[in-house]
Amino acid sequence: RRDAIVAKIKESDAPVAGKDLAASFHVSRQVIVQDIALLRADGHDIVATNRGYVLREGVSDMDIPTRLIKVRHTVDQLEDELETVVDLGGTVQSVMVNHRAYGKITADLDIRSRSGIARYLDDIRTGKSTPLMTVTSGYHFHRIAAYSKEALDEIEAALAERGYLAELMPYEDDFQ
């Protein structure tokens, strides 16, 4: 069944819902969730999005759509911002600030799940550090990857709806 799940996800042009997989294999959705966990443990790069499962195997980094998005929020809103991205199937690849004295400062994040968010926030707390965004009054950029440009559009719209999107300044046009 697990090989068939991988094949079904791989063959699909769109995310495959867990309930559809469950119906196809005459099992519960919980069984599918367990199968996906085991497939991930075996090394399959299966991503859960709000629309279903996507397989990223065999896709080079050049094939994955990315977008640099400027945002602004408080430290208290950080978890919600990151959850908005990953819940819609995005990966927060990096964070970048444009500091007036130091220039562009970038840090890799590679946050692709709620558990990744929890680890990141725990690292911030236990390291007695503050997020990079604090040096620029909450303004920062994220390089976000997703399985399609439409998914990136959806992520950007959700961030705008939550009030997190920030307007690019004329001198920031070259950041893209």
Side-chain angles (χ1 to χ4, degrees):
R1 180 181 62 227
R2 290 185 198 111
D3 289 338
I5 289 171
V6 171
K8 196 169 202 69
I9 296 171
K10 188 182 285 191
E11 293 165 2
S12 180
D13 291 335
V16 180
K19 66 180 174 117
D20 294 340
L21 289 170
S24 294
F25 298 106
H26 308 290
V27 296
S28 70
R29 199 171 119 353
Q30 185 56 39
V31 168
I32 295 298
V33 169
Q34 292 168 349
D35 285 343
I36 295 294
L38 290 169
L39 288 165
R40 286 178 176 151
D42 283 342
H44 293 280
D45 193 5
I46 299 173
V47 178
T49 74
N50 67 326
R51 292 199 175 123
Y53 295 105
V54 177
L55 185 68
R56 292 196 299 204
E57 293 174 0
V59 177
S60 75
D61 287 345
M62 298 297 290
D63 296 334
I64 298 172
T66 66
R67 187 172 299 165
L68 190 66
I69 297 175
K70 183 179 180 183
V71 292
R72 182 179 192 224
H73 54 78
T74 66
V75 172
D76 292 338
Q77 296 169 315
L78 178 59
E79 184 172 11
D80 182 62
E81 178 223 17
L82 295 172
E83 286 176 352
T84 300
V85 174
V86 301
D87 288 352
L88 292 171
T91 297
V92 182
Q93 294 180 320
S94 63
V95 61
M96 192 253 308
V97 295
N98 185 31
H99 194 275
R100 288 188 184 186
Y102 302 120
K104 294 178 193 174
I105 304 168
T106 303
D108 291 334
L109 296 178
D110 195 34
I111 298 173
R112 48 183 84 218
S113 65
R114 283 186 177 234
S115 61
I117 294 168
R119 279 190 300 277
Y120 169 72
L121 293 175
D122 189 54
D123 286 348
I124 292 288
R125 278 191 294 275
T126 60
K128 296 183 175 58
S129 300
T130 58
L132 194 53
M133 61 182 244
T134 60
V135 300
T136 53
S137 304
Y139 288 100
H140 58 289
F141 295 83
H142 284 300
R143 172 70 59 193
I144 298 174
Y147 59 89
S148 70
K149 289 181 178 163
E150 293 77 20
L152 288 170
D153 292 342
E154 189 175 355
I155 291 166
E156 194 165 358
L159 290 170
E161 185 178 301
R162 285 178 147 67
Y164 298 148
L165 275 192
E167 188 176 337
L168 279 176
M169 301 277 93
Y171 61 86
E172 295 171 327
D173 285 342
D174 65 334
F175 288 9
Q176 299 298 323

